[in-house]
């Protein structure tokens, strides 16, 4: 699986610029959510919705991505890599 | 060409990481961030060979004293999926109250479900009430889950920084109280916005121009806010009082309105001025 992904990345010119928007959004959301407080869980949800809208994604897109995330170790690795690049630099 | 070269290099790196899952998992134990996310390296790991979970958040965002807010704790599961993931929190900080989402009631789980897949990053939320005068709060977190068929339990510590509140406690939210005819008394209203995390026991008294008779609801010596007698930060509420202006000539007038309240157990007050109109 990793070999396939690597070749696809190479063929498509994937790299820092080639991170899927859902991956980038998820990584940054998981980082930023720890850095703020929320008046209620509705406000937390609203914050996510704003980020989705700014990324051109819908809640349906996000829910589908989360489901895919649960099933794909490779996708989780991508999020983790992006998280560490964004959050810990 | 350069972009292609970089892409190939990244692909090679990806291959290398995939070949060393143990290294990737252990790496979460040495990450340090100078920001709000800090791993002091003192985590208890239930054993990399069996899996375990990692708490990525050791220091949350700050809560202002007197306030109640939700904070997020970030987690990762190593090697194997952690199912039935639950988190409870306790604290010895006086007056601090921790509570959970209403759908789980006595614990918190992950935002979307109760499974932390191997390598997934997800968070749990806690509602924390911090009284005035609190110092930084230490939470003792207990996480329980099932992993590779075994029940697991692990303890962690998280710090919630507490910020001091500075600035005005309350602000006048309106400048005009309304109009009243010379022939009929009318209820006028003034609005206030809370700026401090919490103001309690709010009482409002009105000092009007000579000739205006002010009456408060239920014939009390004061009025309070419509919703309740407290104001939280960012909350605007209204207070009403009955004005009899039969002794006044039509024209523009003003009230002095005093708002008294308690904050952190101490009494305080502020005065605002509101305009009103007497009509013929």
């Amino acid at each position: 699986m990793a070999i396939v992904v690597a070749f696809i990345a190479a063929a498509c010119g994937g790299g820092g610029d080639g991170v899927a928007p859902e991956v980038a959004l998820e990584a940054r959301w998981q980082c930023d959510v720890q850095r703020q407080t929320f008046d209620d869980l509705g406000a937390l949800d609203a914050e996510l919705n704003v980020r989705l809208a700014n990324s051109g994604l819908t809640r349906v897109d996000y829910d589908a991505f989360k489901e895919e995330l649960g099933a794909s170790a490779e996708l989780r690795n991508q999020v983790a890599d992006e998280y560490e690049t964004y959050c810990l630099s | 060409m350069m972009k292609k070269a970089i892409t190939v290099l990244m692909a090679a790196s990806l291959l290398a990481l995939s070949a060393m899952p143990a290294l990737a998992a252990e790496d979460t134990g040495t990450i340090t961030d100078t920001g709000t996310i800090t791993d002091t390296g003192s985590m208890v790991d239930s054993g990399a060979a069996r899996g375990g979970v990692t708490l990525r958040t050791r220091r949350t965002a700050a809560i202002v004293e007197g306030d109640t807010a939700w904070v997020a704790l970030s987690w990762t599961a190593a090697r194997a999926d952690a199912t039935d993931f639950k988190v409870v929190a306790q604290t010895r900080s006086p007056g601090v109250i921790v509570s959970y989402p209403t759908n789980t009631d006595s614990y918190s789980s992950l935002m979307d479900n109760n499974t932390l897949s191997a390598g997934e990053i997800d968070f749990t939320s806690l509602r924390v009430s911090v009284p005035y005068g609190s110092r930084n709060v230490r939470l003792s977190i207990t996480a329980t889950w099932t992993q590779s068929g075994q029940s697991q339990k692990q303890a962690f510590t998280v710090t919630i920084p507490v910020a001091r509140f500075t600035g005005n406690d309350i602000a006048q939210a309106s400048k005009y109280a309304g109009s009243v005819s010379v022939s009929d008394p009318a209820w006028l209203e003034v609005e206030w916005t809370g700026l401090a995390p919490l103001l309690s026991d709010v009482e409002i008294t009105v000092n009007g121009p000579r000739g205006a008779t002010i009456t408060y609801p239920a014939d009390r010596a004061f009025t309070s806010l419509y919703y309740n007698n407290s104001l939280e930060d960012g909350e605007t509420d209204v207070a009403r009082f009955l004005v009899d202006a039969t002794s006044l000539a039509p024209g523009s007038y003003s009230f002095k309105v005093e708002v008294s309240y308690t904050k952190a157990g101490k009494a305080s007050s502020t005065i605002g001025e509101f305009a009103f109109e007497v009509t013929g």
Side-chain angles (χ1 to χ4, degrees):
Chain A
M1 177 62 155
I3 295 171
V4 170
V5 172
F7 272 104
I8 291 174
C12 297
D17 299 340
V19 174
E22 296 91 338
V23 169
L25 178 138
E26 178 70 358
R28 291 168 193 213
W29 171 235
Q30 292 295 336
C31 176
D32 292 341
V33 74
Q34 304 169 71
R35 292 176 168 171
Q36 50 189 302
T37 61
F38 301 91
D39 287 342
D40 50 56
L41 293 181
L44 187 151
D45 219 39
E47 170 71 20
L48 176 57
N49 285 336
V50 167
R51 289 166 178 259
L52 289 171
N54 290 342
S55 298
L57 299 169
T58 66
R59 201 57 190 249
V60 172
D61 295 330
Y62 184 69
D63 291 343
F65 170 76
K66 290 290 277 186
E67 215 169 302
E68 197 182 339
L69 196 64
S72 168
E74 180 51 43
L75 204 53
R76 296 195 293 272
N77 284 339
Q78 290 180 29
V79 171
D81 288 345
E82 184 67 14
Y83 175 96
E84 294 190 10
T85 299
Y86 173 77
C87 212
L88 303 178
S89 57
Chain B
M1 177 64 79
M2 176 63 87
K3 187 176 178 187
K4 195 75 166 180
I6 293 171
T7 300
V8 171
L9 181 60
M10 288 186 66
S13 301
L14 180 62
L15 276 172
L17 279 175
S18 299
M20 293 187 285
L23 180 61
E26 289 171 7
D27 197 33
T28 59
T30 57
I31 294 166
T32 301
D33 177 30
T34 55
T36 59
I37 305 160
T38 303
D39 179 350
T40 60
S42 60
M43 282 186 297
V44 176
D45 193 326
S46 62
R50 295 196 301 272
V53 299
T54 300
L55 173 59
R56 291 175 170 264
T57 312
R58 289 312 178 103
R59 192 176 177 86
T60 70
I63 297 180
V64 178
E65 58 170 343
D67 208 357
T68 298
W70 289 85
V71 295
L73 305 182
S74 179
W75 303 87
T76 299
R79 290 187 165 273
D81 294 355
T83 61
D84 197 24
F85 189 79
K86 295 179 181 176
V87 161
V88 294
Q90 293 177 309
T91 182
R92 290 182 179 175
S93 300
V96 173
I97 300 171
V98 180
S99 51
Y100 308 99
T102 52
N103 62 327
T104 50
D105 191 43
S106 59
Y107 63 90
S108 185
S109 192
L110 304 159
M111 280 309 288
D112 287 324
N113 52 39
N114 64 357
T115 296
L116 193 60
S117 301
E120 180 187 10
I121 305 170
D122 205 347
F123 65 91
T124 57
S125 300
L126 297 172
R127 184 173 183 265
V128 184
S129 293
V130 177
Y132 283 108
S134 295
R135 297 186 172 187
N136 288 354
V137 173
R138 288 200 109 195
L139 294 184
S140 299
I141 305 292
T142 303
T144 57
W145 68 95
T146 301
Q147 200 167 33
S148 302
Q150 291 190 333
S151 295
Q152 305 273 3
K153 182 177 180 178
Q154 197 166 332
F156 304 88
T157 302
V158 170
T159 297
I160 301 178
V162 176
R164 294 283 162 261
F165 175 74
T166 59
N168 294 330
D169 291 338
I170 191 170
Q172 189 171 332
S174 61
K175 293 185 176 180
Y176 182 67
S179 64
V180 53
S181 121
V182 294
S183 54
D184 289 308
W187 290 92
L188 302 190
E189 59 185 47
V190 294
E191 290 187 327
W192 294 89
T193 299
L195 301 178
L198 179 64
L199 304 175
S200 305
D201 305 318
V202 175
E203 294 182 359
I204 294 164
T205 54
V206 179
N207 191 6
R210 186 177 300 198
T213 303
I214 311 295
T215 309
Y216 303 110
D219 285 327
R220 291 183 299 182
F222 60 89
T223 185
S224 191
L225 301 165
Y226 179 75
Y227 185 65
N228 56 25
N229 68 345
S230 62
L231 269 181
E232 297 182 18
D233 61 316
E235 179 190 4
T236 297
D237 206 345
V238 62
R240 295 191 173 96
F241 45 93
L242 187 66
V243 178
D244 183 338
T246 50
S247 298
L248 294 177
S252 300
Y253 298 87
S254 65
F255 300 113
K256 285 274 197 276
V257 178
E258 180 173 1
V259 183
S260 61
Y261 55 87
T262 57
K263 186 182 86 173
K266 293 181 183 175
S268 192
S269 67
T270 192
I271 293 178
E273 187 164 352
F274 295 81
F276 72 102
E277 200 76 16
V278 176
T279 58

